[in-house]
C-alpha cells in the first residue's frame, strides 16, 4: 500500500508526528468543550475519551489517535488554508465521531473500546446513550457558534454525515441478522462507505471548506477521504481474518468466529465459487479453531482475499487521483497523504 | 389558572384552532424533512410521528398536538416578526423534541406513547436509538441550511437546550434509583425545568430570534416558556395523583403506583410533616388501591398538593410577567398566552 517512496521510507513516523501535533492543537479546545457539559454527562464523556478512570481519577494520555481532526487540519493546509482557523471544525468532527462510538457500543453490546471497558458497561446504557446525545449536540453547537464563514456549510455536511452514519449502523445491524446467502456485496460496500468512509470524507471536506475552497475542491476532498476510508475498511477486514494476533491484539480469525459479514467474506459468499457454499455452511454454526481455518481457506479459495486486496489498492489509487485533481502540487498534500497511508497500514 | 377573561370564555377553543393552523403550516416542511432521511431510518420516524402503521400503511391525522412549533410561530408573531419565516425553526424544534421522545422511551422502557406502541417496541431499541440520533442531526441540518440571519444563534440555543434535556433525563433516571428520603426539591425542580421547561422556553426564544428581537426580549421569551413549562409540569404531576381517569386515560394515582418522585410527592417528602414519614414508608413497597389512597392523602396532609397548586399559579404569573416585559401590548401576545393557558389546562 506504499504510495510514495518517501512515505515508505518514513514508515509512518511522519504520520505519528503529525497526529501528535494535531492532538496538541485540538485537545485543549476538545477538553474545554467537554468541560462545558453538565457534570453527570461530562463524567461519562471524560471516561469515554480516556481522560479519567471510572472513579473520576485522571489518566495521563488517553483519547486515541484522533485521526479525523488531523485530517481536517491537513485538508485545510493542503488547500492553502490556515489550519489553526479550522480547529473548531476538527473538534466538532471528533465529538461527532465519539457520539457514534458511544451509541454503537451500546447497540452492538461491545464490552471493550481502546483496551478499556466501554462506557455503557461502566455507567449503564442510559448514561451512555445520553452522553452520546449530548456529544452530538455539542459538536453542532461548536459549529453554530463559530464565526468562520464556512461554519454553516460545515454543519450541513456534518449533519448529513451523521445521518449517513445512522443509516450505515442500521444496515450493519440488519445485515448481521440475515443469513449468509442473503447479503449482496453492494449493500456491504454502501454500508462500509457509510460507516467508515463518510466521516473520513467529511473531515477532509470540512478542512477544505475552512480553507475557503470551491465546491469542486470540497467534493474532491470528500471523495479522497471516502475512498481512503473504504481502503482502510477493506484492510481492517483482511486483518480480521488473517491478522497476526501479536500485532492486532485480537485472536486470529476473530471476525470469522463472530460470523461477521465483512467485505472479503461477502465477496467470497457471492462469488459463485464452490468454496462459497462451504463458507455459508460454516457461517450457520459456531466455529472451533479448525472451522475457522477452513472458513479462512474458503474465503481465499473463493477469491475474497484477492478481491479485497485489489479493491483496497484500487480505492487508494482513486483517493490519490481525487486529491491530485484538487491539489495539483501533491507536495502541498503531503500531510494528507501521510495520514491516508497511515490509516490503511496502521493495523498491519 | 385563568389568565384573561377572553381565554376563559373561549375555554381553549382558540388554542385548538391555533394549533391546527400551526400544524397546517409546519407539517409540509416537517414531512419533507423526514422524507429526506434514508429509507430504514425514515420508516421508524414516520411510524413514531403517527403517519404510518408498523406495516408502513398510511394513517390519516397522527402526529400529536405539536405545541412547540406553535409556540415558535406565536412568539415570532408576538414580537412583530413574520411567522412564515420561522417555519424552519418550528420544524427543527419539533424534530429535536421527537428525538428526545424516541430516546426517552428506550431509556424508560415505556411501552406506549400517544396511545400507540412506542417505536422501540415495534422496531427494536437499535432502530429507535438510531432514528433518534438521525432526528437530532436533521433538526440541526435544517437550521444550518436556513438562510435567516437568526439560524446560527437559534442552533446555539437549540443545542444548548438538547444538552440541558440530556442532563434532565440523566437526573430523572438517577432520582428514580434513589430512596424516597434521598431527593431534594431543588434537584426535582431543576430536573423538571430541564426536561419540560427548557424546550418550551427554547421554542419561544427561537420565535423571538426569528423576529429579529433583541437579546433581552429573547431572554424574556425564553423565561416565559420555561415558567409556563414548569407550571405545566406541576399540573401534570397533580393530575398524575388526583386526575380523573375518565379524562386523563390513566388510572387514578398512576404516578404513586409507579413510585414516581413527582414534584408534589417530593414537596411532601421534604416537608418535615409527620405524613412525610408515612409517605416514604409507602414508597418503599408495592402499593394496592388502599395504599394509593393513603399515599395521596399523605401528600395532601404534608402540604404537597397545596404547594404544587401555588407553585403552578406562581409560575404562570411569572411567565406572564416575563412576557409583558418583552411585549408591552399583551394583545399582540394573545396567541402565546392562549397556548400557555392551553398547555397548563389541557389534561385537567
Amino acid at each position: 500500500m506504499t504510495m510514495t517512496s518517501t512515505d515508505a521510507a518514513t514508515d509512518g513516523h511522519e504520520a505519528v508526528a503529525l497526529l501528535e501535533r494535531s492532538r496538541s492543537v485540538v485537545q485543549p479546545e476538545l477538553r474545554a468543550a467537554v468541560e462545558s457539559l453538565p457534570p453527570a454527562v461530562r463524567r461519562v464523556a471524560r471516561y469515554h475519551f480516556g481522560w479519567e478512570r471510572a472513579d473520576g481519577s485522571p489518566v495521563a494520555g488517553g483519547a486515541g489517535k484522533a485521526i479525523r481532526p488531523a485530517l481536517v487540519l491537513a485538508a485545510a493546509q493542503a488547500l492553502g488554508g490556515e489550519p489553526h482557523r479550522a480547529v473548531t471544525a476538527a473538534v466538532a468532527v471528533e465529538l461527532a465521531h465519539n457520539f457514534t462510538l458511544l451509541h454503537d457500543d451500546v447497540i452492538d453490546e461491545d464490552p471493550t473500546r481502546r483496551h478499556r471497558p466501554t462506557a455503557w458497561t461502566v455507567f449503564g446504557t442510559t448514561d451512555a446513550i445520553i452522553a452520546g446525545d449530548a456529544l452530538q449536540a455539542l459538536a453542532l453547537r461548536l459549529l453554530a457558534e463559530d464565526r468562520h464563514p464556512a461554519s454553516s456549510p460545515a454543519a450541513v455536511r456534518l449533519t448529513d454525515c451523521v445521518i449517513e452514519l445512522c443509516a450505515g449502523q442500521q444496515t450493519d445491524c440488519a445485515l448481521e441478522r440475515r443469513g449468509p446467502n442473503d447479503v449482496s456485496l453492494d449493500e456491504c460496500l454502501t454500508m462500509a462507505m457509510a460507516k467508515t468512509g463518510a466521516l473520513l470524507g467529511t473531515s477532509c471536506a470540512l478542512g477544505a471548506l475552512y480553507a475557503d475552497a470551491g465546491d469542486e475542491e470540497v467534493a474532491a476532498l470528500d471523495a479522497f477521504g471516502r475512498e481512503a476510508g473504504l481502503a482502510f475498511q477493506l484492510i481492517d477486514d483482511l486483518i480480521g481474518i488473517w491478522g497476526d494476533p501479536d500485532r492486532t491484539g485480537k485472536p486470529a480469525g476473530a471476525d470469522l468466529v463472530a460470523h461477521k459479514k465483512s467485505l472479503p467474506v461477502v465477496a467470497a459468499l457471492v462469488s459463485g465459487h464452490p468454496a462459497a457454499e462451504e463458507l455459508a455452511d460454516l457461517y450457520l454454526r459456531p466455529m472451533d479453531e479448525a472451522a475457522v481455518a477452513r472458513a479462512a481457506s474458503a474465503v481465499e479459495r473463493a477469491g475474497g482475499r484477492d478481491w479485497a486486496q485489489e479493491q483496497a489498492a484500487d480505492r487508494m489509487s482513486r483517493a490519490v487521483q481525487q486529491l491530485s485533481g484538487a491539489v495539483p502540487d501533491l507536495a502541498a498534500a503531503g500531510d494528507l497523504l501521510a495520514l491516508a497511508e497511515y490509516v490503511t497500514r496502521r493495523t498491519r
Side-chain angles (χ1 to χ4, degrees), chain A:
Chain A
M1 196 62 23
T2 302
M3 283 158 41
T4 70
S5 55
T6 341
D7 287 334
T10 55
D11 196 26
H13 286 120
E14 191 188 337
V16 170
L18 258 170
L19 286 166
E20 209 174 288
R21 229 162 39 234
S22 158
R23 278 198 303 274
S24 73
V25 177
V26 169
Q27 279 276 338
E29 196 172 318
L30 178 63
R31 283 247 186 188
V34 169
E35 290 309 305
S36 77
L37 291 171
V41 180
R42 184 170 65 205
R43 188 165 138 257
V44 181
R46 279 184 189 153
Y47 172 83
H48 168 77
F49 277 108
W51 302 335
E52 276 185 9
R53 294 187 190 87
D55 64 7
S57 61
V59 178
K65 294 187 193 61
I67 285 161
R68 289 158 193 80
L71 284 173
V72 175
L73 303 186
Q77 173 101 51
L79 285 161
E82 296 166 85
H84 73 266
R85 291 187 68 208
V87 171
T88 299
V91 173
V93 161
E94 186 66 1
L95 288 168
H97 175 54
N98 282 280
F99 132 61
T100 65
L101 296 183
L102 277 161
H103 283 194
D104 287 359
D105 287 343
V106 168
I107 288 168
D108 303 335
E109 297 178 21
D110 272 332
T112 54
R113 153 104 35 216
R114 295 168 189 152
H115 311 287
R116 302 165 71 230
T118 41
W120 71 269
T121 66
V122 174
F123 299 98
T125 54
T126 291
D127 284 10
I129 293 171
I130 292 171
D133 289 342
L135 290 192
Q136 180 181 181
L138 188 57
L140 293 158
R141 188 196 197 291
L142 292 185
L143 291 179
E145 233 184 359
D146 190 21
R147 287 166 184 279
H148 194 291
S151 65
S152 289
V156 171
R157 278 192 174 262
L158 188 55
T159 48
D160 275 345
C161 176
V162 167
I163 291 168
E164 191 176 349
L165 286 163
C166 288
Q169 172 69 359
Q170 209 277 344
T171 309
D172 196 9
C173 296
L175 290 178
E176 286 303 310
R177 288 190 296 263
R178 289 209 227 141
N181 285 318
D182 192 23
V183 291
S184 79
L185 195 51
D186 263 1
E187 281 178 308
C188 289
L189 281 166
T190 304
M191 187 268 284
M193 190 55 102
K195 280 199 71 171
T196 311
L199 193 49
L200 295 191
T202 299
S203 301
C204 296
L206 260 55
L209 279 170
Y210 270 72
D212 304 314
D215 290 350
E216 272 181 42
E217 289 165 310
V218 174
L221 269 282
D222 184 59
F224 162 77
R226 282 176 171 269
E227 298 293 352
L230 205 60
F232 161 64
Q233 189 57 61
L234 285 154
I235 288 163
D236 204 48
D237 284 355
L238 287 168
I239 290 160
I241 304 174
W242 291 282
D244 175 356
D246 286 345
R247 300 189 68 175
T248 64
K250 290 184 208 170
D255 283 359
L256 298 174
V257 176
H259 290 179
K260 228 188 121 185
K261 298 189 189 75
S262 66
L263 290 163
V265 168
V266 175
L269 285 170
V270 302
S271 64
H273 189 281
E277 256 177 76
E278 191 188 332
L279 180 60
D281 275 351
L282 287 162
Y283 256 57
L284 290 172
R285 56 197 113 257
M287 283 192 237
D288 58 15
E289 217 173 301
V292 167
R294 285 216 320 278
S297 155
V299 174
E300 185 151 9
R301 279 177 286 130
R305 186 177 195 170
D306 284 348
W307 174 84
Q309 267 159 349
E310 281 160 29
Q311 270 285 318
D314 182 44
R315 296 287 176 169
M316 270 314 282
S317 111
R318 287 198 225 178
V320 176
Q321 226 174 332
Q322 289 285 355
L323 188 61
S324 61
V327 188
D329 173 14
L330 271 184
D335 288 1
L336 264 185
L337 286 169
L339 287 170
E341 157 83 352
Y342 179 79
V343 296
T344 54
R345 80 148 76 191
R346 70 190 177 91
T347 33
R348 258 184 293 181

